[in-house]
Amino acid sequence: MTELPEQAYVIVSADNSWRMWVNGQEAGQGDDWMRPGLVDVTQRLRGGENVIAIEASNGGNSPNAAGLMVVIDSLAGAVPTLTELSSNSGWRTATEVKGKWTQANFDDSKWKPAIVAAASNDGPWGFINRLSAESLSRGSDPQSWWGDRPVRAALASRDTLQATLGRPNREQPVTRRDSQATLLQALELTNGASLDGILREGASRLKERELSRESMVQAVYVQALGRDPTATEAALAAELLGDTPDVDQVADLLWVLVMLPEFQLIP
């Protein structure tokens, strides 16, 4: 690891229980295979090589299905980039271990490659089906491990803006969505106070990061559209921001991106 991540966490699910060590220090444990565990490991990582070791134990009095699923996510870089690692056949396992097997200098050359028992959503576990904000088992509330990172609206309570834009109640099944905006939605998307307030708050946070004009343009394009700006887009955005952009100018740029069909339809 050449750059320490700004945020890193591990999601673990094991039938029946698990314990995890990061660089030799115990970081978490769980014994409910129906609830994946979420562990913030940001402060436990270090530059260079890191070791995440997990002990998984099966239960029951007779042979039965057993498995371990691990997902490691980290965010790093001036423009935060998500890196994800998942357990696979490249991992090494052993049924019996001796010595300091949680340490970086442990020799695991005699361990066997992990066996892929099932895809993430197949087999007897259905890992992905159980992976939601409500199902995760954690020792603290989301703010402590997610911070200011964006969260899918489906996992947050519906507010006035979402209701205006057509988000239904969770208890109400919806099989189709209108393809044309209503008058109320059009007004909200052109000069709505709720959306303007959100964009101005986002502009203020961008200003606090003290990015250069070029880095700011790249950051908002990557986060809003999932891609870098073209040369023409970068030039126009830089002209809009000026040499020393204030909150109003940054908010104007965010308005431009939010109005793009690419933002409204693809994400």
Side-chain angles (χ1 to χ4, degrees):
M1 179 177 292
T2 57
E3 181 181 7
L4 287 176
E6 182 179 339
Q7 189 76 30
Y9 56 91
V10 181
I11 301 173
V12 189
S13 181
D15 184 358
N16 287 80
S17 62
W18 58 273
R19 293 177 65 193
M20 181 173 68
W21 291 262
V22 177
N23 294 322
Q25 297 182 342
E26 185 165 355
Q29 59 182 322
D31 57 7
D32 184 353
W33 72 273
M34 289 295 292
R35 299 189 67 197
L38 177 68
V39 182
D40 186 340
V41 298
T42 308
Q43 302 302 320
R44 300 180 184 274
L45 299 180
R46 60 196 181 199
E49 183 179 281
N50 288 270
V51 174
I52 294 179
I54 300 176
E55 176 188 81
S57 303
N58 192 23
N61 298 321
S62 59
N64 61 88
L68 171 70
M69 181 72 183
V70 184
V71 178
I72 305 170
D73 283 337
S74 64
L75 286 162
V79 178
T81 301
L82 175 67
T83 300
E84 184 169 273
L85 300 174
S86 300
S87 50
N88 53 47
S89 58
W91 289 41
R92 304 188 66 81
T93 64
T95 55
E96 295 183 2
V97 294
K98 296 180 180 180
K100 298 180 180 180
W101 64 280
T102 64
Q103 303 290 339
N105 57 359
F106 180 77
D107 181 12
D108 63 355
S109 59
K110 295 183 179 180
W111 287 24
K112 297 180 179 180
I115 298 174
V116 179
S120 58
N121 203 33
D122 295 332
W125 302 287
F127 178 77
I128 297 300
N129 287 335
R130 295 184 286 106
L131 194 59
S132 66
E134 290 80 5
S135 69
L136 289 172
S137 174
R138 52 183 178 260
S140 56
D141 68 69
Q143 184 66 24
S144 65
W145 53 266
W146 196 249
D148 292 333
R149 293 298 168 201
V151 178
R152 286 183 65 94
L155 304 180
S157 299
R158 186 178 71 158
D159 57 19
T160 303
L161 176 60
Q162 294 179 44
T164 302
L165 296 180
R167 175 181 168 179
N169 294 321
R170 291 189 179 187
E171 297 80 9
Q172 178 182 347
V174 175
T175 58
R176 60 182 296 272
R177 296 291 295 273
D178 292 332
S179 59
Q180 294 184 343
T182 65
L183 176 60
L184 185 60
Q185 291 171 343
L187 290 173
E188 183 65 40
L189 290 175
T190 53
N191 58 2
S194 298
L195 182 56
D196 182 64
I198 293 173
L199 295 180
R200 289 185 64 82
E201 181 181 355
S204 297
R205 294 188 179 186
L206 280 170
K207 282 285 293 179
E208 291 173 359
R209 292 172 60 182
E210 298 182 349
L211 299 173
S212 67
R213 183 176 62 178
E214 291 72 19
S215 296
M216 182 180 295
V217 171
Q218 184 185 18
V220 296
Y221 266 86
V222 169
Q223 293 178 9
L225 305 180
R227 64 172 177 82
D228 291 332
T230 65
T232 300
E233 290 171 335
L236 291 173
E239 183 179 350
L240 175 62
L241 290 176
D243 294 331
T244 54
D246 56 24
V247 172
D248 289 335
Q249 290 170 302
V250 178
D252 286 342
L253 175 60
L254 297 182
W255 264 107
V256 170
L257 292 177
V258 169
M259 292 298 101
L260 290 175
E262 184 178 357
F263 175 83
Q264 297 181 21
L265 298 179
I266 293 179

